[in-house]
Amino acid sequence: MMTVMTSDLGLRERKKQRTRQAISDAAIQLFLARGYDAVSVADVAAAAEVSKPTLFKYFRSKDELILDRIDDHRAEPAQVVRGRSAGESPLDALHRHQLRLLADRDPVTGISDRPQVIAFQRLLYNTESLANALLAYSIEGVELLRDALVEACGPGPHRVTAGLVANQILITTRRLGLDNWAQVAGGRTTEDLYPEAVAAVNHAYALLRGGVGDYCG
């Protein structure tokens, strides 16, 4: 009986995952083809062959249909800090992680020349109505990294210090990604740009160590 119930739960969960993926895929396809503002939630539901109430069971808002694609990266810096090697500083762990993302040509770094990735990032960064959603997304990421830094380094004078450090790190990372994406969107190949991107990350973390290293280098 327990085996049957577990199997049923697994089947339902896989079905939910497929439905969520179908909704997400339909949304991105419509947004890229017609523009974010020209597509309604009803349009997405129809394309995914689900009802609007069903869509809202998986995504709380239209913005989430876009931000879901990058949601894993929101908590990633905090996870890197918590999972760093013994004796490794948070900044060193984040620096190492950023270099690995570049080597993997992860889209979040801007070093990806896949047409759909470039188009998605253009949609994300150039759609004015997504600006507030991106801001809220960024703030949540800062808070997660702040808490991880407090655990790793202590609160310093107060939690505000950790928040300022987290904010500086994530703004720097985002700026590097935007610069890389603009270069690739402008026609640079990823192989041509990669050495410059690595040098930029190394330079940025040298500046961060000079600026915030005293808190938790």
Side-chain angles (χ1 to χ4, degrees):
M1 181 67 173
M2 181 63 69
T3 301
V4 172
M5 290 179 64
T6 301
S7 177
D8 288 344
L9 286 172
L11 182 62
R12 286 199 293 271
E13 186 59 33
R14 289 195 297 273
K15 184 177 180 180
K16 287 180 180 179
Q17 290 173 353
R18 287 195 298 269
T19 300
R20 181 182 179 86
Q21 190 63 50
I23 294 170
S24 177
D25 289 345
I28 298 301
Q29 186 174 0
L30 286 174
F31 292 150
L32 292 179
R34 292 160 50 183
Y36 180 78
D37 294 326
V39 176
S40 68
V41 170
D43 293 332
V44 175
E49 299 182 341
V50 300
S51 66
K52 282 179 63 176
T54 296
L55 184 150
F56 282 122
K57 287 180 182 178
Y58 293 91
F59 300 93
R60 294 172 297 179
S61 67
K62 182 180 174 182
D63 297 336
E64 277 198 2
L65 290 165
I66 286 284
L67 297 180
D68 180 69
R69 288 297 175 98
I70 59 174
D71 191 58
D72 288 347
H73 289 292
R74 174 166 41 185
E76 195 169 69
Q79 292 168 351
V80 168
V81 169
R82 290 192 172 101
R84 71 194 188 282
S85 303
E88 185 177 34
S89 74
L91 276 179
D92 285 346
L94 291 165
H95 185 182
R96 172 179 52 77
H97 180 69
Q98 195 64 26
L99 291 174
R100 184 183 66 76
L101 291 176
L102 281 175
D104 292 343
R105 305 299 192 269
D106 192 294
V108 75
T109 66
I111 301 288
S112 176
D113 53 10
R114 286 182 287 164
Q116 190 171 25
V117 170
I118 295 173
F120 175 81
Q121 291 177 324
R122 182 178 291 112
L123 178 75
L124 184 64
Y125 297 136
N126 293 345
T127 303
E128 185 176 353
S129 55
L130 284 171
N132 289 335
L134 273 171
L135 177 60
Y137 173 92
S138 300
I139 289 172
E140 289 181 29
V142 168
E143 291 173 348
L144 290 169
L145 180 55
R146 175 202 62 197
D147 292 345
L149 289 173
V150 168
E151 292 174 18
C153 312
H158 37 60
R159 284 177 64 84
V160 172
T161 306
L164 292 171
V165 171
N167 191 63
Q168 188 63 52
I169 291 169
L170 294 187
I171 285 177
T172 298
T173 301
R174 186 179 179 193
R175 181 70 260 168
L176 292 171
L178 283 169
D179 288 347
N180 291 336
W181 168 75
Q183 292 282 334
V184 173
R188 296 282 300 278
T189 67
T190 57
E191 292 308 308
D192 178 46
L193 182 59
Y194 176 71
E196 294 178 22
V198 169
V201 165
N202 291 337
H203 176 64
Y205 272 88
L207 293 175
L208 285 170
R209 286 186 183 88
V212 304
D214 286 344
Y215 169 69
C216 187

